[in-house]
Amino acid sequence: MKSHIEVLYDPRYFKDREEFETIIYEIQERHEAWFYARINPVSGLAPDKIYNFYRYFYDENHDIALFLDDELHPDIRKECREAFDSVFLTVEKHS
């Protein structure tokens, strides 16, 4: 979790994280029924929230990377991965 906190405060990723998190909250809204069918492990109440299923960490190059919990529905996990890649893995950012 320490890496997640460090990434949250890494100024290199602030704007892109904001963009990514806007997209994944839209994903949560599209899959509202799935989240409402789950109990939030923190509050013990329904609905669960998408933020319980992902964490940031640094890869071997000290770049941002994304962990997605295996309990996240595969379709939702795929959408989150695609959103992350669309924001963070663009050619312009690695040139």
Side-chain angles (χ1 to χ4, degrees):
M1 177 89 123
K2 181 179 177 193
S3 185
H4 178 75
I5 299 299
E6 290 172 358
V7 174
L8 289 178
Y9 291 101
D10 189 329
R12 296 179 296 166
Y13 303 118
F14 182 78
K15 185 177 183 222
D16 291 335
R17 269 191 328 94
E18 205 171 59
E19 180 182 346
F20 170 68
E21 289 172 8
T22 297
I23 296 168
I24 63 168
Y25 285 109
E26 292 169 358
I27 293 170
Q28 176 180 289
E29 288 178 15
R30 281 197 302 275
H31 297 279
E32 182 179 48
W34 188 84
F35 288 98
Y36 268 87
R38 297 185 53 88
I39 302 297
N40 185 315
V42 177
S43 69
L45 304 171
D48 204 349
K49 301 291 183 184
I50 200 161
Y51 57 72
N52 289 320
F53 295 92
Y54 75 94
R55 295 288 176 266
Y56 302 110
F57 66 98
Y58 289 116
D59 67 12
E60 63 279 354
N61 298 316
H62 205 67
D63 291 326
I64 192 170
L66 182 68
F67 165 79
L68 294 168
D69 192 303
D70 290 338
E71 289 187 32
L72 188 60
H73 189 281
D75 293 339
I76 301 171
R77 195 168 49 245
K78 180 178 184 261
E79 287 182 49
C80 290
R81 175 65 55 205
E82 289 171 352
F84 181 85
D85 291 350
S86 75
V87 172
F88 291 100
L89 299 181
T90 61
V91 173
E92 299 82 32
K93 292 180 186 185
H94 290 287
S95 298

